[in-house]
Amino acid sequence: MRHREWRKLFKKRRRKAIRQKAAQAQSRLEAEENERKLACPEYQLHLVEQERQEQIAANRETLERALQNAIWLEEEHKAQQKFETLRRKEEAKEQEEKEKRERILKEFEERESELKQAKAERLKQQELVRRMLYERHVKLQEFAVTGVDEYLNELQTIHNTRIDADDCKFFLKTGACRHGYRCIGNHPTPGVSKVILVPNFFSHPALEQKVHAEYGQDARLEFDEEELQNCFNDFFRDIIVEFEAFGKIQHILACRNSGTHLRGSVYIEYELLRNAAAAYLRMNGRFYAKKQLHVEFRSPIVWPAAVCGFVASCNVKHCRIEITGLFELKRCQKGAGCNFLHILKNPDHRYVYNHFQESRSLRKEDVVHLATPLVEKYCSLVVH
Protein backbone atom coordinates (compact mmCIF):
# COMPACT_ATOMS: atom_id res chain seq x y z
CA MET A 1 0.00 0.00 0.00
CA ARG A 2 1.27 3.40 -0.77
CA HIS A 3 1.97 5.89 1.95
CA ARG A 4 -0.74 8.31 0.76
CA GLU A 5 -3.41 5.63 0.86
CA TRP A 6 -2.25 4.42 4.22
CA ARG A 7 -2.36 7.96 5.60
CA LYS A 8 -5.88 8.47 4.28
CA LEU A 9 -7.10 5.26 5.89
CA PHE A 10 -5.36 6.12 9.15
CA LYS A 11 -7.11 9.53 9.33
CA LYS A 12 -10.44 7.94 8.62
CA ARG A 13 -10.04 5.43 11.44
CA ARG A 14 -8.87 8.17 13.79
CA ARG A 15 -11.97 10.29 13.04
CA LYS A 16 -14.16 7.27 13.63
CA ALA A 17 -12.50 6.61 16.99
CA ILE A 18 -12.97 10.24 18.01
CA ARG A 19 -16.65 10.10 17.11
CA GLN A 20 -17.16 6.89 19.01
CA LYS A 21 -15.44 8.33 22.04
CA ALA A 22 -17.61 11.47 21.90
CA ALA A 23 -20.74 9.37 21.50
CA GLN A 24 -19.79 7.24 24.48
CA ALA A 25 -19.16 10.33 26.51
CA GLN A 26 -22.50 11.80 25.49
CA SER A 27 -24.29 8.56 26.32
CA ARG A 28 -22.60 8.50 29.68
CA LEU A 29 -23.64 12.08 30.34
CA GLU A 30 -27.24 11.34 29.32
CA ALA A 31 -27.29 8.26 31.51
CA GLU A 32 -25.98 10.31 34.44
CA GLU A 33 -28.59 12.98 33.70
CA ASN A 34 -31.37 10.42 33.60
CA GLU A 35 -30.22 8.88 36.81
CA ARG A 36 -30.14 12.34 38.38
CA LYS A 37 -33.62 13.07 37.10
CA LEU A 38 -34.96 9.76 38.24
CA ALA A 39 -33.53 10.44 41.62
CA CYS A 40 -35.45 13.76 41.72
CA PRO A 41 -39.03 13.49 43.21
CA GLU A 42 -40.39 16.33 41.10
CA TYR A 43 -39.32 14.58 37.92
CA GLN A 44 -41.00 11.44 39.16
CA LEU A 45 -44.24 13.40 39.58
CA HIS A 46 -43.77 14.90 36.15
CA LEU A 47 -43.42 11.46 34.61
CA VAL A 48 -46.52 10.22 36.43
CA GLU A 49 -48.49 13.30 35.28
CA GLN A 50 -47.23 12.88 31.72
CA GLU A 51 -48.23 9.23 31.72
CA ARG A 52 -51.66 10.19 33.11
CA GLN A 53 -52.12 12.84 30.39
CA GLU A 54 -51.08 10.35 27.73
CA GLN A 55 -53.60 7.87 29.12
CA ILE A 56 -56.34 10.52 29.11
CA ALA A 57 -55.43 11.47 25.54
CA ALA A 58 -55.50 7.82 24.53
CA ASN A 59 -58.89 7.35 26.20
CA ARG A 60 -60.24 10.50 24.54
CA GLU A 61 -58.99 9.32 21.19
CA THR A 62 -60.61 5.94 21.76
CA LEU A 63 -63.91 7.64 22.68
CA GLU A 64 -63.77 9.91 19.65
CA ARG A 65 -62.99 6.95 17.44
CA ALA A 66 -65.91 5.02 18.97
CA LEU A 67 -68.22 8.08 18.55
CA GLN A 68 -67.20 8.52 14.95
CA ASN A 69 -67.73 4.83 14.39
CA ALA A 70 -71.20 5.06 15.97
CA ILE A 71 -72.02 8.12 13.84
CA TRP A 72 -70.79 6.31 10.74
CA LEU A 73 -72.87 3.26 11.66
CA GLU A 74 -75.95 5.50 12.16
CA GLU A 75 -75.38 7.22 8.83
CA GLU A 76 -74.79 3.87 7.21
CA HIS A 77 -78.03 2.59 8.70
CA LYS A 78 -79.90 5.64 7.43
CA ALA A 79 -78.28 5.25 4.03
CA GLN A 80 -79.26 1.59 4.00
CA GLN A 81 -82.85 2.52 4.92
CA LYS A 82 -82.91 5.24 2.25
CA PHE A 83 -81.48 2.84 -0.31
CA GLU A 84 -84.03 0.21 0.70
CA THR A 85 -86.84 2.78 0.38
CA LEU A 86 -85.59 3.87 -3.03
CA ARG A 87 -85.19 0.26 -4.06
CA ARG A 88 -88.76 -0.50 -3.03
CA LYS A 89 -90.01 2.59 -4.85
CA GLU A 90 -88.09 1.58 -7.95
CA GLU A 91 -89.43 -1.96 -7.69
CA ALA A 92 -92.96 -0.63 -7.18
CA LYS A 93 -92.50 1.76 -10.12
CA GLU A 94 -91.12 -1.02 -12.30
CA GLN A 95 -93.96 -3.30 -11.20
CA GLU A 96 -96.48 -0.56 -11.97
CA GLU A 97 -94.90 0.07 -15.35
CA LYS A 98 -94.85 -3.65 -16.01
CA GLU A 99 -98.53 -3.92 -15.09
CA LYS A 100 -99.25 -0.85 -17.20
CA ARG A 101 -97.40 -2.37 -20.17
CA GLU A 102 -99.23 -5.64 -19.65
CA ARG A 103 -102.54 -3.79 -19.38
CA ILE A 104 -101.79 -1.75 -22.50
CA LEU A 105 -100.70 -4.90 -24.31
CA LYS A 106 -103.85 -6.65 -23.18
CA GLU A 107 -106.03 -3.71 -24.24
CA PHE A 108 -104.16 -3.54 -27.55
CA GLU A 109 -104.68 -7.25 -28.11
CA GLU A 110 -108.35 -6.93 -27.16
CA ARG A 111 -108.72 -3.92 -29.46
CA GLU A 112 -106.95 -5.76 -32.24
CA SER A 113 -109.19 -8.74 -31.64
CA GLU A 114 -112.25 -6.47 -31.69
CA LEU A 115 -110.99 -4.78 -34.84
CA LYS A 116 -110.41 -8.15 -36.47
CA GLN A 117 -113.86 -9.29 -35.43
CA ALA A 118 -115.35 -6.01 -36.60
CA LYS A 119 -113.46 -6.28 -39.87
CA ALA A 120 -114.60 -9.86 -40.31
CA GLU A 121 -118.14 -8.84 -39.44
CA ARG A 122 -117.89 -5.86 -41.80
CA LEU A 123 -116.58 -8.08 -44.58
CA LYS A 124 -119.36 -10.52 -43.82
CA GLN A 125 -121.91 -7.72 -43.91
CA GLN A 126 -120.39 -6.36 -47.12
CA GLU A 127 -120.51 -9.79 -48.66
CA LEU A 128 -124.10 -10.15 -47.47
CA VAL A 129 -125.00 -6.72 -48.84
CA ARG A 130 -123.18 -7.51 -52.08
CA ARG A 131 -125.10 -10.77 -52.38
CA MET A 132 -128.35 -9.01 -51.53
CA LEU A 133 -127.63 -6.27 -54.08
CA TYR A 134 -126.81 -8.86 -56.70
CA GLU A 135 -130.00 -10.79 -55.95
CA ARG A 136 -131.95 -7.53 -55.96
CA HIS A 137 -130.35 -6.57 -59.26
CA VAL A 138 -131.29 -9.94 -60.75
CA LYS A 139 -134.86 -9.66 -59.47
CA LEU A 140 -135.10 -6.06 -60.64
CA GLN A 141 -133.79 -7.08 -64.04
CA GLU A 142 -136.34 -9.89 -64.27
CA PHE A 143 -139.09 -7.46 -63.28
CA ALA A 144 -137.99 -4.73 -65.69
CA VAL A 145 -136.92 -6.80 -68.70
CA THR A 146 -138.85 -10.06 -68.64
CA GLY A 147 -141.96 -8.65 -66.97
CA VAL A 148 -142.03 -11.11 -64.04
CA ASP A 149 -144.08 -9.65 -61.17
CA GLU A 150 -143.20 -12.40 -58.71
CA TYR A 151 -140.66 -10.29 -56.82
CA LEU A 152 -142.56 -6.97 -56.97
CA ASN A 153 -143.67 -6.99 -53.31
CA GLU A 154 -140.15 -7.89 -52.20
CA LEU A 155 -138.62 -5.16 -54.38
CA GLN A 156 -140.98 -2.51 -52.99
CA THR A 157 -139.72 -3.12 -49.45
CA ILE A 158 -138.63 0.09 -47.69
CA HIS A 159 -134.98 0.20 -46.58
CA ASN A 160 -134.29 2.28 -43.45
CA THR A 161 -130.97 3.87 -42.49
CA ARG A 162 -131.89 4.24 -38.78
CA ILE A 163 -134.72 1.95 -37.75
CA ASP A 164 -135.08 3.31 -34.20
CA ALA A 165 -135.05 6.99 -35.24
CA ASP A 166 -137.85 9.19 -36.52
CA ASP A 167 -138.11 9.85 -40.23
CA CYS A 168 -136.16 12.87 -41.48
CA LYS A 169 -138.73 15.48 -42.51
CA PHE A 170 -136.54 17.01 -45.19
CA PHE A 171 -135.86 13.59 -46.70
CA LEU A 172 -139.58 12.77 -46.72
CA LYS A 173 -140.37 16.07 -48.44
CA THR A 174 -137.50 16.42 -50.92
CA GLY A 175 -135.89 12.97 -51.04
CA ALA A 176 -132.54 14.53 -50.04
CA CYS A 177 -130.92 15.65 -46.79
CA ARG A 178 -127.90 17.89 -46.38
CA HIS A 179 -126.54 15.64 -43.58
CA GLY A 180 -126.58 12.51 -45.72
CA TYR A 181 -125.81 9.28 -43.87
CA ARG A 182 -124.76 11.30 -40.80
CA CYS A 183 -128.33 12.49 -40.27
CA ILE A 184 -129.83 11.45 -36.93
CA GLY A 185 -133.15 10.84 -38.64
CA ASN A 186 -134.25 7.83 -40.64
CA HIS A 187 -134.11 7.95 -44.45
CA PRO A 188 -136.67 5.46 -45.79
CA THR A 189 -135.77 4.40 -49.33
CA PRO A 190 -137.93 2.09 -51.46
CA GLY A 191 -136.45 -0.83 -53.33
CA VAL A 192 -138.28 0.25 -56.48
CA SER A 193 -140.42 3.27 -57.23
CA LYS A 194 -141.76 5.39 -60.06
CA VAL A 195 -139.47 8.26 -59.01
CA ILE A 196 -135.72 8.05 -59.61
CA LEU A 197 -133.18 10.58 -58.43
CA VAL A 198 -129.85 11.29 -60.13
CA PRO A 199 -127.83 13.43 -57.65
CA ASN A 200 -125.59 16.18 -59.06
CA PHE A 201 -126.53 15.26 -62.62
CA PHE A 202 -126.54 18.79 -64.09
CA SER A 203 -123.43 20.90 -63.45
CA HIS A 204 -122.79 24.56 -64.17
CA PRO A 205 -120.42 27.14 -62.62
CA ALA A 206 -123.38 29.34 -61.70
CA LEU A 207 -124.59 26.67 -59.26
CA GLU A 208 -121.30 26.18 -57.46
CA GLN A 209 -120.31 27.89 -54.23
CA LYS A 210 -116.55 27.93 -54.79
CA VAL A 211 -114.71 31.04 -53.58
CA HIS A 212 -112.72 32.50 -56.45
CA ALA A 213 -109.27 33.86 -55.70
CA GLU A 214 -110.02 37.20 -57.40
CA TYR A 215 -113.80 37.58 -57.39
CA GLY A 216 -114.58 35.83 -54.08
CA GLN A 217 -118.16 34.59 -53.86
CA ASP A 218 -119.25 36.89 -56.68
CA ALA A 219 -117.81 34.55 -59.32
CA ARG A 220 -121.31 33.31 -60.08
CA LEU A 221 -122.24 36.80 -61.23
CA GLU A 222 -120.11 36.16 -64.31
CA PHE A 223 -122.88 33.87 -65.60
CA ASP A 224 -126.28 35.37 -66.27
CA GLU A 225 -129.64 33.64 -66.08
CA GLU A 226 -129.97 33.30 -69.83
CA GLU A 227 -126.66 31.46 -70.16
CA LEU A 228 -127.61 29.10 -67.33
CA GLN A 229 -130.99 28.38 -68.92
CA ASN A 230 -129.41 27.77 -72.33
CA CYS A 231 -126.94 25.30 -70.83
CA PHE A 232 -129.77 23.52 -69.03
CA ASN A 233 -131.81 23.39 -72.24
CA ASP A 234 -128.94 21.66 -74.03
CA PHE A 235 -128.51 19.30 -71.07
CA PHE A 236 -132.25 18.54 -70.96
CA ARG A 237 -132.50 17.80 -74.68
CA ASP A 238 -129.39 15.62 -74.40
CA ILE A 239 -130.63 13.39 -71.57
CA ILE A 240 -134.30 13.26 -72.50
CA VAL A 241 -133.49 11.04 -75.47
CA GLU A 242 -131.98 8.45 -73.14
CA PHE A 243 -134.70 8.51 -70.48
CA GLU A 244 -137.63 8.53 -72.94
CA ALA A 245 -136.39 5.23 -74.33
CA PHE A 246 -137.41 3.44 -71.12
CA GLY A 247 -141.05 4.50 -71.09
CA LYS A 248 -143.49 7.34 -70.65
CA ILE A 249 -142.33 10.10 -68.31
CA GLN A 250 -144.67 12.15 -66.15
CA HIS A 251 -142.39 14.78 -64.59
CA ILE A 252 -138.77 15.88 -64.75
CA LEU A 253 -137.54 18.37 -62.16
CA ALA A 254 -133.96 19.67 -62.05
CA CYS A 255 -132.64 21.55 -59.01
CA ARG A 256 -130.62 24.73 -59.21
CA ASN A 257 -129.80 24.86 -55.49
CA SER A 258 -126.21 25.49 -54.44
CA GLY A 259 -126.25 22.94 -51.60
CA THR A 260 -124.19 19.87 -52.35
CA HIS A 261 -127.11 17.53 -51.60
CA LEU A 262 -129.38 19.25 -54.15
CA ARG A 263 -127.06 20.95 -56.65
CA GLY A 264 -127.92 19.77 -60.14
CA SER A 265 -130.03 16.84 -58.89
CA VAL A 266 -132.64 15.58 -61.37
CA TYR A 267 -135.91 13.94 -60.35
CA ILE A 268 -137.59 11.78 -63.01
CA GLU A 269 -141.04 10.31 -62.41
CA TYR A 270 -142.31 7.58 -64.75
CA GLU A 271 -145.87 6.39 -65.17
CA LEU A 272 -144.95 2.73 -64.63
CA LEU A 273 -142.70 1.03 -62.10
CA ARG A 274 -141.26 -1.16 -64.82
CA ASN A 275 -140.05 1.86 -66.79
CA ALA A 276 -138.39 3.39 -63.73
CA ALA A 277 -136.69 0.05 -62.95
CA ALA A 278 -135.40 -0.20 -66.53
CA ALA A 279 -134.03 3.34 -66.32
CA TYR A 280 -132.34 2.53 -63.01
CA LEU A 281 -130.70 -0.60 -64.41
CA ARG A 282 -129.48 1.13 -67.55
CA MET A 283 -128.35 4.49 -66.16
CA ASN A 284 -126.90 3.53 -62.78
CA GLY A 285 -123.12 3.46 -63.08
CA ARG A 286 -122.98 5.10 -66.51
CA PHE A 287 -120.71 8.05 -67.17
CA TYR A 288 -121.94 11.45 -68.24
CA ALA A 289 -119.68 14.50 -68.61
CA LYS A 290 -116.79 12.61 -66.96
CA LYS A 291 -118.97 11.78 -63.94
CA GLN A 292 -120.33 8.39 -62.94
CA LEU A 293 -124.05 8.50 -62.32
CA HIS A 294 -125.52 7.14 -59.12
CA VAL A 295 -129.23 6.56 -59.59
CA GLU A 296 -131.49 6.08 -56.55
CA PHE A 297 -135.15 5.31 -56.07
CA ARG A 298 -137.29 7.69 -54.07
CA SER A 299 -140.73 7.35 -52.57
CA PRO A 300 -143.50 9.30 -54.32
CA ILE A 301 -142.90 12.97 -53.55
CA VAL A 302 -145.59 15.58 -52.94
CA TRP A 303 -144.09 18.24 -55.16
CA PRO A 304 -145.92 21.25 -53.63
CA ALA A 305 -144.32 20.33 -50.29
CA ALA A 306 -140.89 19.75 -51.86
CA VAL A 307 -140.72 22.99 -53.84
CA CYS A 308 -139.36 26.02 -51.98
CA GLY A 309 -142.55 27.37 -50.40
CA PHE A 310 -145.59 27.96 -52.54
CA VAL A 311 -148.00 30.74 -53.37
CA ALA A 312 -151.50 29.59 -54.28
CA SER A 313 -153.76 31.70 -56.46
CA CYS A 314 -157.45 30.92 -56.51
CA ASN A 315 -160.07 31.67 -59.15
CA VAL A 316 -163.33 32.00 -57.25
CA LYS A 317 -165.50 31.26 -60.26
CA HIS A 318 -163.88 27.95 -61.16
CA CYS A 319 -162.10 27.30 -57.83
CA ARG A 320 -158.81 26.57 -59.58
CA ILE A 321 -155.56 26.29 -57.62
CA GLU A 322 -152.17 27.14 -59.16
CA ILE A 323 -149.07 26.76 -57.00
CA THR A 324 -145.85 28.64 -57.77
CA GLY A 325 -142.54 28.32 -55.92
CA LEU A 326 -141.31 31.28 -53.93
CA PHE A 327 -137.98 31.10 -55.74
CA GLU A 328 -139.71 31.69 -59.06
CA LEU A 329 -141.20 34.86 -57.56
CA LYS A 330 -137.76 35.85 -56.16
CA ARG A 331 -139.10 35.77 -52.63
CA CYS A 332 -137.00 32.97 -51.12
CA GLN A 333 -135.15 34.45 -48.15
CA LYS A 334 -132.50 31.69 -47.98
CA GLY A 335 -131.34 32.09 -51.55
CA ALA A 336 -129.48 29.36 -53.41
CA GLY A 337 -128.62 27.56 -50.15
CA CYS A 338 -132.26 26.72 -49.45
CA ASN A 339 -133.00 23.11 -48.52
CA PHE A 340 -136.20 23.01 -50.59
CA LEU A 341 -136.23 22.57 -54.35
CA HIS A 342 -135.46 25.50 -56.64
CA ILE A 343 -136.60 24.22 -60.01
CA LEU A 344 -135.05 25.01 -63.40
CA LYS A 345 -137.55 25.63 -66.17
CA ASN A 346 -137.81 22.75 -68.61
CA PRO A 347 -137.50 23.79 -72.27
CA ASP A 348 -140.73 23.77 -74.25
CA HIS A 349 -142.59 23.11 -70.95
CA ARG A 350 -141.95 19.40 -71.35
CA TYR A 351 -142.62 17.13 -68.38
CA VAL A 352 -143.23 20.07 -66.06
CA TYR A 353 -145.28 19.62 -62.92
CA ASN A 354 -148.74 21.06 -63.65
CA HIS A 355 -149.84 22.34 -60.29
CA PHE A 356 -153.35 23.10 -61.56
CA GLN A 357 -153.90 19.67 -63.05
CA GLU A 358 -152.53 17.90 -59.99
CA SER A 359 -154.56 20.00 -57.58
CA ARG A 360 -157.88 19.53 -59.41
CA SER A 361 -158.23 16.07 -57.91
CA LEU A 362 -157.59 17.30 -54.37
CA ARG A 363 -160.47 17.45 -51.95
CA LYS A 364 -161.56 20.79 -50.58
CA GLU A 365 -159.87 20.06 -47.24
CA ASP A 366 -156.53 19.45 -49.05
CA VAL A 367 -156.94 22.69 -50.98
CA VAL A 368 -157.43 24.60 -47.76
CA HIS A 369 -154.44 22.85 -46.24
CA LEU A 370 -152.12 23.66 -49.15
CA ALA A 371 -153.29 27.20 -49.84
CA THR A 372 -152.19 30.40 -48.18
CA PRO A 373 -154.49 32.30 -45.81
CA LEU A 374 -155.53 34.47 -48.75
CA VAL A 375 -156.71 31.41 -50.68
CA GLU A 376 -158.45 30.13 -47.57
CA LYS A 377 -160.40 33.36 -47.56
CA TYR A 378 -161.38 32.86 -51.21
CA CYS A 379 -162.27 29.21 -50.61
CA SER A 380 -164.47 30.21 -47.72
CA LEU A 381 -166.29 32.55 -50.10
CA VAL A 382 -166.76 29.68 -52.52
CA VAL A 383 -168.22 27.50 -49.75
CA HIS A 384 -170.65 30.19 -48.71
Side-chain angles (χ1 to χ4, degrees), residues 310-329:
F310 56 86
V311 175
S313 59
C314 178
N315 189 319
V316 178
K317 183 177 180 180
H318 302 288
C319 191
R320 296 191 310 173
I321 300 296
E322 293 182 0
I323 302 176
T324 306
L326 287 178
F327 177 76
E328 297 176 6
L329 301 177

Side-chain angles (χ1 to χ4, degrees), residues 189-287:
T189 306
V192 64
S193 174
K194 295 181 180 180
V195 181
I196 63 173
L197 169 64
V198 187
N200 309 121
F201 197 6
F202 173 65
S203 59
H204 192 272
L207 304 181
E208 298 180 358
Q209 288 182 326
K210 294 182 179 179
V211 180
H212 195 272
E214 182 176 357
Y215 303 107
Q217 293 183 349
D218 297 333
R220 291 182 296 174
L221 299 177
E222 298 292 327
F223 307 95
D224 55 5
E225 187 69 22
E226 183 179 359
E227 182 181 358
L228 173 62
Q229 189 63 41
N230 291 335
C231 291
F232 175 70
N233 293 343
D234 296 338
F235 166 80
F236 186 87
R237 295 188 181 97
D238 188 20
I239 67 169
I240 199 62
V241 179
E242 293 284 344
F243 285 98
E244 284 180 340
F246 303 111
K248 189 174 181 179
I249 299 175
Q250 283 187 332
H251 308 120
I252 294 180
L253 288 85
C255 301
R256 56 177 299 165
N257 303 66
S258 297
T260 54
H261 64 294
L262 288 176
R263 182 195 308 153
S265 297
V266 178
Y267 296 83
I268 303 174
E269 184 175 359
Y270 285 90
E271 287 190 355
L272 300 177
L273 281 174
R274 206 177 308 278
N275 300 336
Y280 172 85
L281 292 173
R282 184 68 181 87
M283 302 303 294
N284 190 28
R286 284 189 58 181
F287 283 87

